[in-house]
Amino acid sequence: METKLTKLLGIKYPIIQGGMAWTSDAVLAAAVSNAGGAGIIGSGGRTTEWTRDEVRKAKTLTDKPFGVNVMLMAPNIAEIIDMLCEEKVAFVTLGAGNPVPHIEKFHQAGIKVIPVVPNVKLAKRIEAAGADAMVVEGMEAGGHVGQQTTMALMENVLPQIKNIPVLVAGGISDGRALAAALLMGAEGVQIGSRFLLTTECPAHPAAKQAIIDATDTDSTVTGFSRGHGVRCLKNAFTQRFSEREISGASQDELNAMGAGTNKRGIMEGDIVDGTVMVGQSLNVLNDILSCQEVIDRIMAEAQAAVEHIKSIKF
Ligand SMILES: Cc1cc2nc3c(=O)[nH]c(=O)nc-3n(C[C@H](O)[C@H](O)[C@H](O)COP(=O)(O)O)c2cc1C
């Protein structure tokens, strides 16, 4: 299959795996790349050394392109960027901060830059600043979310960005959603949650099972009223956090409550008092497959969805 994204990255299918703090390591990223998409190692919350080791490990596991997700507010940001330029990964996705000042440096190292953006204003700014592509991420997504839905972003952003490929993320877990994004004018999709439920993903089995057991209304967004929304499964922790958020707790208190909970939930399997970040397409997230099986199924479903559209008489 060919879109502007597959041509830009030299990949078979227009699917990239979203960088996911704690869970997207070399094994997951390489498995997605070997399956025809592009995997991403998540550097959020990690040391520069850990990230370098994972990049080197991924190079031994795949000869296909893979990327690294960089959280621009990370304390080790300068070090991480220098290291990635030395290691010359194929591309980076940039979130949680202003990507513009970093584009040139990555380009000089031959690394493609794909910022994650939540609105039209930033989308136009990063297109003008020379980004290679962008991801627009709706609030259906797992993890940190903005204010607009995926559908609203597709409506608002896609017709305005003419020169670089736009990928869509947030609540995309099957082939119907991929087909819908392509129909709307996207050149590809970024998928996070669906890749949590893979044999290659190191998430704790209890966290994977909690996602399988959850249905559409079982996620919530903590911190939304403070502009720091995080979508995750509802549990005792999110209940306590939301109560403190509503009763006007200080941001410092909320930050302290949240500290360490991501790792506790997704990696250590504490699904009661930890955070299990996941998107909203929970009825679709039902089984654990290999990354190859996930991508093959999504592509077959997308093709069936396109055939269905073609069969409709207008
Ligand atoms: C467990 C988890 C951790 C995530 N961590 C990050 C992160 O560190 N950096 C980032 O830019 N996005 C992060 N995301 C967002 C994903 O990269 C992706 O955009 C999102 O999962 C897409 O929505 P979906 O989950 O509905 O597929 C995370 C998502 C999940 C589910």
Side-chain angles (χ1 to χ4, degrees):
M1 183 173 181
E2 200 173 278
T3 71
K4 287 179 189 151
L5 177 75
T6 63
K7 283 197 269 183
L8 176 74
L9 296 181
I11 56 178
K12 198 168 167 195
Y13 302 123
I15 297 173
I16 71 173
Q17 162 247 314
M20 294 184 282
W22 298 110
T23 48
S24 55
D25 59 8
V27 172
L28 180 63
V32 174
S33 292
N34 285 332
I40 293 183
I41 294 167
S43 71
R46 301 290 195 168
T47 64
T48 310
E49 274 324 297
W50 181 90
T51 311
R52 189 195 293 275
D53 289 348
E54 292 301 301
V55 167
R56 290 185 175 172
K57 186 171 170 189
K59 286 177 185 169
T60 69
L61 297 172
T62 184
D63 56 3
K64 303 282 191 305
F66 65 88
V68 173
N69 173 247
V70 181
M71 301 297 274
L72 295 168
M73 262 131 80
N76 55 342
I77 185 67
E79 220 178 76
I80 289 254
I81 291 175
D82 284 348
M83 180 277 288
L84 293 173
C85 290
E86 280 163 34
E87 295 293 332
K88 301 202 182 306
V89 290
F91 68 98
V92 289
T93 57
L94 305 178
N98 179 9
V100 174
H102 308 289
I103 294 177
E104 185 53 31
K105 183 161 183 166
F106 282 120
H107 278 173
Q108 275 170 11
I111 297 170
K112 296 190 175 77
V113 180
I114 309 182
V116 182
V117 298
N119 58 45
V120 171
K121 194 172 163 193
L122 195 54
K124 284 185 167 172
R125 230 175 96 207
I126 63 131
E127 181 187 38
D132 298 281
M134 70 180 76
V135 176
V136 290
E137 187 185 51
M139 64 181 299
E140 294 93 321
H144 292 266
V145 294
Q147 307 265 347
Q148 293 192 58
T149 61
T150 301
M151 180 57 85
L153 282 166
M154 290 199 287
E155 291 265 65
N156 293 330
V157 177
L158 291 175
Q160 310 244 12
I161 304 298
K162 308 237 177 337
N163 302 316
I164 60 173
V166 181
L167 291 83
V168 174
I172 296 175
S173 295
D174 67 11
R176 294 169 303 152
L178 166 60
L182 295 175
L183 197 65
M184 291 294 288
E187 297 289 337
V189 294
Q190 171 168 285
I191 295 177
S193 299
R194 178 60 261 197
F195 288 113
L196 289 174
L197 296 186
T198 57
T199 48
E200 294 92 344
C201 175
H204 194 282
K208 290 183 181 178
Q209 191 58 46
I211 293 170
I212 290 172
D213 293 342
T215 55
D216 54 351
T217 54
D218 288 335
S219 81
T220 187
V221 179
T222 59
F224 195 68
S225 67
R226 308 294 174 92
H228 303 289
V230 174
R231 184 173 297 285
C232 51
L233 289 183
K234 288 176 185 166
N235 62 10
F237 166 72
T238 62
Q239 178 70 32
R240 282 198 304 276
F241 190 99
S242 300
E243 279 165 15
R244 292 303 300 140
E245 183 185 341
I246 291 163
S247 24
S250 70
Q251 193 55 45
D252 282 349
E253 180 189 333
L254 294 179
N255 291 346
M257 277 183 89
T261 54
N262 286 344
K263 189 175 175 206
R264 196 181 312 151
I266 200 81
M267 298 304 281
E268 294 165 8
D270 183 350
I271 60 168
V272 178
D273 291 313
T275 308
V276 179
M277 296 197 291
V278 67
Q280 270 189 310
S281 44
L282 286 162
N283 283 62
V284 173
L285 299 171
N286 284 328
D287 48 7
I288 298 171
L289 301 172
S290 70
C291 290
Q292 186 73 64
E293 288 167 331
V294 166
I295 289 190
D296 288 349
R297 188 161 80 182
I298 288 175
M299 292 312 300
E301 288 166 347
Q303 205 166 355
V306 170
E307 294 306 322
H308 169 66
I309 289 287
K310 281 192 205 156
S311 74
I312 295 174
K313 282 206 179 75
F314 281 87

